[in-house]
């Protein structure tokens, strides 16, 4: 479960980085917009993106987020994608996350899905 400090970091407009596994087992890391939904983390991507395809083959994921106002404050999560939501319900989630960062809805064009991550391990390192 997310502790209060990790929850606050993921709920804020901080860019997260996710790491997934490539078909050859190598790591693939990219920045994402992210939010908290109940006890899960949620981000969005195209189902045909490299990260979407990676997660379709292996649902394990690592996520880090850094406080944009205090760069030594961060949270790290390992878990699994437990749900993907597309269609109109997915767009509602995508728009909510995108608006948190930009103030408006996500531009329509390519398909997007919301990916829900159940945290299995959470740490909030302290520095200094």
């Amino acid at each position: 479960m997310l502790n209060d400090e990790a929850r606050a970091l993921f709920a804020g407009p901080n860019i997260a980085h996710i790491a997934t596994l490539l078909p050859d087992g190598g790591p693939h890391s990219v920045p994402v917009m992210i939010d908290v939904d109940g006890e899960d983390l949620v981000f969005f991507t195209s189902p045909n993106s490299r990260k979407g395809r990676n997660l379709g083959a292996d649902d394990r994921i690592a996520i880090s987020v850094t406080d944009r106002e205090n760069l030594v404050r961060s949270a790290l999560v390992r878990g699994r994608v437990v749900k993907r939501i597309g269609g109109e319900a997915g767009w509602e989630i995508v728009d909510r996350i995108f608006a948190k960062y930009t103030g408006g809805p996500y531009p329509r064009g390519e398909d997007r899905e919301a990916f829900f991550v159940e945290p299995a391990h959470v740490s909030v390192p302290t520095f200094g």
Side-chain angles (χ1 to χ4, degrees):
M1 289 179 69
L2 296 173
N3 60 36
D4 290 342
E5 192 168 2
R7 180 178 293 279
L9 284 165
F10 284 108
N14 302 305
I15 297 295
H17 286 82
I18 66 168
T20 61
L21 295 171
L22 291 164
D24 69 1
H28 178 256
S29 179
V30 295
V32 296
M33 297 177 181
I34 199 162
D35 205 358
V36 177
D37 191 287
E39 293 302 317
D40 294 336
L41 298 175
V42 61
F43 66 93
F44 62 88
T45 190
S46 165
N48 297 318
S49 68
R50 176 77 269 166
K51 60 188 164 295
R53 294 190 322 267
N54 288 349
L55 290 165
D58 189 327
D59 62 3
R60 293 177 294 170
I61 190 168
I63 308 172
S64 65
V65 65
T66 302
D67 186 335
R68 67 184 192 166
E69 301 296 327
N70 180 0
L71 298 178
V72 297
R73 187 172 166 240
S74 63
L76 313 170
V77 169
R78 288 193 318 265
R80 293 186 179 274
V81 170
V82 294
K83 179 171 47 172
R84 293 167 71 153
I85 298 178
E88 199 52 43
W91 276 112
E92 289 177 21
I93 298 163
V94 169
D95 285 341
R96 182 188 82 216
I97 295 169
F98 194 74
K100 179 176 88 166
Y101 290 86
T102 68
Y106 192 87
R108 297 307 190 257
E110 293 183 33
D111 285 340
R112 294 289 181 260
E113 289 183 353
F115 288 66
F116 289 74
V117 176
E118 180 180 70
H121 181 267
V122 178
S123 74
V124 181
T126 54
F127 302 98

